Amino acid sequence: MAYVTLGAAILVEVLATTAMKYSEGFTKLWPSLGTAVGYLVAFVLLAQTLKTMSVGTTYAIWSGAGTAVIAAIGMLFLGEAANAARLIGIALIIGGVVMLNLGGAAH
């Protein structure tokens, strides 16, 4: 169940970050409200996840997945450059999260 809650936290955080892009520096009401509410919900879900998962594992997954997904959204939908360096960077983020989780599996 913790991974489901963490997945929801990641999804909401990604949506909030995307809304922030459209808020134009918090000058547009609805995207700005979406950002604020989204981050509030994301942090509540993240806090719930931390009740049963270690902080290192939780944060590695949350930040790594969020960063990789936002970078992909930028490249696919927002006209940001999709070049080899960025794609390798995303792969390294994912690889780093996997390595942190493998290294933290033993207590």
Side-chain angles (χ1 to χ4, degrees), residues 31-56:
S32 298
L33 288 174
T35 300
V37 171
Y39 276 112
L40 178 65
V41 171
F43 278 108
V44 167
L45 291 169
L46 185 63
Q48 294 301 311
T49 302
L50 289 171
K51 288 181 178 181
T52 57
M53 286 179 67
S54 70
V55 69

Side-chain angles (χ1 to χ4, degrees), residues 50-69:
L50 289 171
K51 288 181 178 181
T52 57
M53 286 179 67
S54 70
V55 69
T57 299
T58 300
Y59 195 75
I61 295 169
W62 186 64
S63 61
T67 301
V69 171

